[in-house]
Amino acid sequence: MAKQHVGLIGLGKMGAPMAANIAKAGYPLSVFDLNEAVKKDVAAATGGKAAPDAISLARDCNIVITMVPDGKAVHALLIDGGLADAAAAGTIFIDMSSSDPTGTRELGKEMQARGLKFIDAPVSGGVKGAENATLSIMIGGDPAVIDECEDLLSTMGSQLFRTGALGCGHAMKALNNYVSAAGAVAAIEALRMGEAFGLDPTHMADILNVSTGRNNTTEKKLKQHVIPRTYASGFSLGLMTKDIATAVSVGKATGQDIPFAESCLAYWADALEKIGPDADHTAVVDKPKS
């Protein structure tokens, strides 16, 4: 059985290696990015087609993946930009961006009204996970549609989680990043306190990683990015803050009391203002005192 023609829109640090893994698995591939040079480079590297515009891609493909900054950009592409009207009935759209889950559900209604299929499938695992096809993918939507996409999603991730109805994938991604962000703050503040008291930061990281304080930051960021101050994890401060804000919006929409999440958001928002959105999120260690 011939593999479906896949289109991928958004060829940034994550999208480009994801496109490479789709092509490697033998799927016919079309790609699009606003950056013409990047689009042509990815098409050449993957053997795919550089679509002249996003609408042409939507017309040509059976499955369209969006990997763009947020849900507003997704809506701007699909509805305001005309992709949903250009695509054939039955086309599957997969939003792998980090989008607001409430907005995803509203967008799903608009897509369904046009006879289109729509699921959300955000990812975790960073650039290395994208390059190695070992991403964790959190999928929300109609199980029958997910069945149609499972083989394709498996080309990009080694762990696929069906999280529930449409929007649940985006909710899970935001909540995961909130937990990660909270752990990062605790690890970095502990490092500061310990160093000021006379502890060696590298030794602290080693101890944390075999003790109950171990978390993603202690394992993958302290010695790699924070202690040497290389700040090259590949995930920006702006994106981290956006995801925490999305998690807080999930809490408010569901009527939860979330004082710690709100405090965490305030901490990262303060860092965003002082350091800037384009800084690597691990640079939060250098956040000036309030």
Side-chain angles (χ1 to χ4, degrees), residues 85-227:
D85 292 322
T91 299
I92 300 172
F93 284 79
I94 308 174
D95 183 18
M96 301 188 76
S97 319
S98 295
S99 300
D100 177 78
T102 303
T104 295
R105 288 187 169 171
E106 292 303 314
L107 178 56
K109 295 174 184 176
E110 296 185 73
M111 299 295 279
Q112 187 177 28
R114 290 167 168 80
L116 303 169
K117 301 174 182 179
F118 183 56
I119 63 173
D120 56 313
V123 304
S124 181
V127 175
K128 286 187 178 179
E131 292 171 345
N132 299 326
T134 56
L135 293 167
S136 295
I137 304 179
M138 295 151 268
I139 316 163
D142 183 340
V145 179
I146 297 172
D147 287 344
E148 293 184 67
C149 304
E150 193 163 35
D151 288 345
L152 170 62
L153 294 171
S154 294
T155 69
M156 296 173 276
S158 57
Q159 298 184 88
L160 274 56
F161 299 97
R162 298 190 182 211
T163 58
L166 184 67
C168 285
H170 282 144
M172 185 65 240
K173 168 65 186 290
L175 294 169
N176 172 76
N177 279 16
Y178 155 58
V179 172
S180 177
V185 172
I188 287 169
E189 288 192 345
L191 207 70
R192 282 175 173 163
M193 290 186 281
E195 188 172 18
F197 193 77
L199 288 164
D200 176 76
T202 300
H203 198 39
M204 284 184 69
D206 290 336
I207 294 169
L208 286 167
N209 283 331
V210 292
S211 305
T212 56
R214 182 177 69 253
N215 65 27
N216 181 265
T217 293
T218 67
E219 290 183 329
K220 299 182 179 180
K221 298 171 187 175
L222 290 186
K223 292 171 74 172
Q224 297 88 338
H225 305 294
V226 174
I227 294 170

Side-chain angles (χ1 to χ4, degrees), residues 247-264:
V248 168
S249 74
V250 171
K252 290 181 176 178
T254 53
Q256 303 300 305
D257 184 25
I258 50 168
F260 188 79
E262 290 176 331
S263 296
C264 186

